[in-house]
């Protein structure tokens, strides 16, 4: 238990490298929640418990997890669960930590998810550059298979589940769920037009559920500690805990486990040891590359889903980048547009041409604001996927909140 009143779950194995091994994981109660689910709960009861916890997806969109599970058709035939471990959003580094330090926790949450929605085969899609996490996860999977947690008749129940690890090739767009499905099918990773949604027609044209790694890790904890425990953890009227990847001008950057709804000022003071010596808080990215940029004067907004939308921002995967007065939000916006332009899959014109055109406009000393706004609107309205739709957010934020920087 730490000073803030809870045991730091997500990071509890951070300083115990041996915790990545099965024996140590089992010793600390590992696979107990899976056993309980298989032996004492029906799949519907698991779904109800997750719904009651208020858990929302940690991959970006924040869709309520239990509700998403409820959308999976109950028809017979193959269904798939895909675990998104592509983590390529600039500023996000929480899933990597989980994979390296607590791979069995990830596998247990994944298996519980498969049981709840009736999947007998799941895929874990790992970012290509994550060589060490891949090796650790592969070893954990072998251990789990040998011990009967993966495979046929798991723990003596009627539940069969196989897990395949799949390595990406370093494309940011493959983190988007339908592009990831295309990639696993062996095609070029490009987002699909929807509908049909992947819950109906997904991997190999079968119903598919896709989740971020942290989301499924919380499923395991919710079963272990109860939905009420999870729901009671938030701050400022929000539910649950979440991991924040904090970088920038703070004394202690890193992954911080904190209540959902905490404000950035509280995060800096209570978790990050304050600002670096000689730096004053100037602004922040509340949600990674595409979540927009806010000034320090707006540092009291609860960091969670829904609260930031009215300011043209979102929390996404909770990658918080802290700027001091030595940084320029306009430089960050330009840099991020460059990233989006390079990572655009090129499938649709508003994104492919829009990001390149925006980058050119951002190159000039004085931004052509009317033209940038018009271009941004076209990108947001007409792009196929979240990359093109959200790419203008940092630029729009700078025009709104940092006008002094752009003349
Ligand atoms: C361009 C783009 C990149 C994405 N990258 C990731 C990623 O690296 N990891 C992730 O979990 N979700 C990513 N997402 C979100 C996924 O499409 C999907 O919403 C998420 O995996 C669903 O899981 P959740 O319900 O647990 O949040 C990305 C979305 C877009 C549009
Ligand atoms: S919005 Fe961009 S990344 Fe998404 S499908 Fe269109 S071109 Fe590809």
């Amino acid at each position: 238990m730490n000073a803030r009143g809870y045991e730091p779950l997500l990071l509890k194995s951070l300083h115990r490298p041996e915790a990545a091994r099965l024996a140590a994981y089992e010793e600390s109660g590992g696979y107990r929640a899976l056993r309980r689910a298989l032996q004492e709960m029906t799949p519907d009861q698991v779904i109800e418990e997750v719904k009651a916890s208020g858990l929302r997806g940690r991959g970006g969109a924040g869709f309520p997890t239990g509700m998403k599970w409820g959308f999976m058709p109950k028809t017979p035939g193959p269904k798939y669960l895909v675990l998104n471990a592509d983590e390529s959003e600039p500023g996000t580094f929480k899933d990597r930590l989980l994979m390296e330090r607590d791979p069995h926790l990830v596998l247990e949450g994944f298996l519980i998810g498969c049981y709840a929605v009736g999947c007998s085969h799941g895929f874990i899609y790992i970012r290509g550059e994550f060589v060490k996490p891949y090796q650790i996860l592969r070893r954990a999977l072998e251990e789990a298979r040998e011990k009967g947690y993966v495979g046929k008749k798991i723990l003596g129940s009627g539940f069969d589940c196989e897990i395949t690890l799949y390595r990406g090739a370093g494309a940011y767009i493959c983190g988007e769920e339908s592009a990831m499905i295309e990639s696993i099918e062996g095609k070029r990773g490009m987002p699909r037009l929807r509908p049909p949604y992947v819950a109906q027609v997904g991997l190999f044209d079968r119903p598919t559920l896709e989740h971020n790694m942290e989301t499924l890790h919380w499923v395991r904890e919710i079963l272990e500690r109860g939905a009420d425990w999870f729901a009671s953890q938030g701050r400022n009227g929000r539910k649950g805990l979440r991991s924040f990847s904090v970088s920038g001008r703070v004394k202690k950057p890193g992954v911080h486990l904190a209540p959902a709804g905490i404000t950035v000022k509280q995060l800096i003071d209570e978790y990050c040891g304050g600002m670096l010596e000689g730096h004053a808080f100037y602004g922040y990215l509340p949600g990674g590359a595409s979540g927009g940029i806010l000034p320090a004067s707006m540092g009291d907004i609860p960091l969670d889903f829904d609260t930031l939308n009215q300011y043209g921002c979102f929390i996404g995967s909770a990658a918080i980048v802290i700027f001091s007065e030595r940084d320029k939000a306009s430089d960050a916006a330009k840099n991020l547009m460059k990233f989006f332009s390079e990572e655009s899959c090129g499938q649709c014109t508003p994104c492919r041409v829009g990001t390149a055109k925006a980058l050119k406009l951002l190159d000039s000393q004085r931004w052509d604001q009317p033209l940038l706004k018009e271009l941004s609107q076209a990108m947001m309205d007409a792009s196929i996927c979240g990359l093109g739709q959200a790419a203008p957010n940092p630029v729009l934020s700078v025009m709104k909140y940092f006008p002094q920087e752009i003349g």
Side-chain angles (χ1 to χ4, degrees):
M1 204 65 86
N2 70 12
R4 293 172 213 107
Y6 60 81
E7 206 180 330
L9 299 165
L10 183 81
L11 310 176
K12 67 184 174 195
S13 303
L14 187 62
H15 303 295
R16 293 193 308 129
E18 78 282 1
R21 301 310 299 259
L22 181 58
Y25 183 67
E26 284 177 323
E27 242 170 61
S28 64
Y31 289 106
R32 191 167 55 199
L34 175 68
R35 192 181 297 274
R36 209 184 113 231
L38 296 184
Q39 294 175 353
E40 297 171 24
M41 297 173 83
T42 62
D44 282 344
Q45 283 172 327
V46 177
I47 295 178
E48 286 312 312
E49 187 79 4
V50 173
K51 272 188 188 163
S53 72
L55 177 67
R56 295 175 66 170
R58 301 297 198 235
F63 201 83
T65 305
M67 198 191 288
K68 196 162 158 179
W69 291 11
F71 290 152
M72 281 291 277
K74 294 202 186 304
T75 44
K79 286 169 217 164
Y80 299 105
L81 177 61
V82 177
L83 193 157
N84 191 334
D86 199 44
E87 197 169 60
S88 315
E89 180 83 3
T92 314
F93 38 82
K94 64 191 175 70
D95 296 343
R96 175 180 182 164
L97 195 71
L98 258 180
M99 249 181 290
E100 285 184 359
R101 296 306 169 116
D102 239 342
H104 284 287
L105 188 69
V106 170
L107 293 179
E108 187 174 0
F110 186 77
L111 288 160
I112 294 169
C114 285
Y115 172 67
V117 297
C119 292
S120 54
H121 193 166
F123 290 79
I124 301 180
Y125 189 101
I126 305 177
R127 178 178 172 168
E129 293 91 333
F130 284 176
V131 177
K132 189 173 159 206
Y134 166 72
Q135 288 164 345
I136 292 174
L137 206 54
R138 193 178 57 181
R139 186 183 64 190
L141 184 56
E142 280 162 14
E143 286 180 325
R145 195 177 281 120
E146 267 171 32
K147 210 58 195 288
Y149 295 122
V150 174
K152 297 265 179 227
K153 302 205 180 317
I154 296 174
L155 296 172
S157 70
F159 174 56
D160 301 340
C161 192
E162 201 36 72
I163 299 178
T164 303
L165 300 186
Y166 193 99
R167 296 185 69 190
Y172 170 67
I173 194 57
C174 287
E176 195 279 339
E177 61 178 11
S178 62
M180 182 169 287
I181 286 171
E182 292 281 299
S183 172
I184 296 175
E185 288 179 352
K187 299 177 220 154
R188 182 172 162 188
M190 293 203 291
R192 293 179 181 173
L193 275 172
R194 278 149 286 187
Y197 294 97
V198 300
Q200 276 79 44
V201 184
L203 186 59
F204 306 125
D205 291 340
R206 299 298 307 167
T208 301
L209 179 67
E210 184 159 332
H211 273 301
N212 172 258
M213 177 164 281
E214 188 196 339
T215 312
L216 289 177
H217 132 276
W218 282 121
V219 166
R220 190 266 173 193
E221 294 294 349
I222 288 163
L223 250 62
E224 185 76 358
R225 293 167 184 253
D228 291 346
W229 165 81
F230 186 78
S232 67
Q233 298 295 319
R235 205 184 272 192
N236 296 318
R238 319 300 300 176
K239 284 185 180 174
L241 292 167
R242 62 178 309 156
S243 52
F244 293 86
S245 311
V246 188
S247 58
R249 312 284 197 173
V250 287
K251 282 193 183 132
K252 282 195 257 166
V255 180
H256 294 286
L257 185 71
I262 193 170
T263 69
V264 74
K265 284 185 181 163
Q266 291 166 339
L267 198 60
I268 295 172
D269 292 341
E270 295 175 34
Y271 291 81
C272 304
M275 294 294 293
L276 279 174
E277 222 53 63
H279 290 260
F281 181 35
Y282 172 65
Y284 64 109
L285 261 64
S290 46
I293 311 177
L294 290 170
S297 59
M298 294 173 77
D300 294 312
I301 304 167
L303 292 174
D304 200 12
F305 304 112
D306 310 331
T307 53
L308 295 156
N309 301 24
Q310 55 186 304
Y311 308 104
C313 297
F314 56 79
I315 188 162
S317 53
I320 318 286
V321 185
I322 310 291
F323 297 149
S324 78
E325 78 294 356
R326 300 189 200 180
D327 306 308
K328 282 178 84 178
S330 48
D331 285 348
K334 193 172 141 188
N335 204 12
L336 292 171
M337 188 58 80
K338 185 164 181 284
F339 169 78
F340 290 126
S341 178
E342 281 168 6
E343 294 296 334
S344 165
C345 80
Q347 181 181 189
C348 56
T349 312
C351 172
R352 184 187 65 247
V353 178
T355 50
K357 176 82 182 156
L359 198 53
K360 272 198 184 146
L361 290 169
L362 297 176
D363 252 340
S364 63
Q365 277 291 332
R366 212 180 161 82
W367 289 12
D368 184 339
Q369 294 194 46
L371 192 53
L372 274 168
K373 280 182 190 157
E374 203 183 326
L375 184 63
S376 299
Q377 198 58 52
M379 289 167 70
M380 292 189 293
D381 290 344
S383 294
I384 288 179
C385 86
L387 190 152
Q389 288 158 8
N393 279 347
V395 171
L396 292 171
S397 298
V398 170
M399 289 193 268
K400 207 165 169 187
Y401 303 118
F402 301 88
Q404 73 282 7
E405 287 191 16
I406 50 171

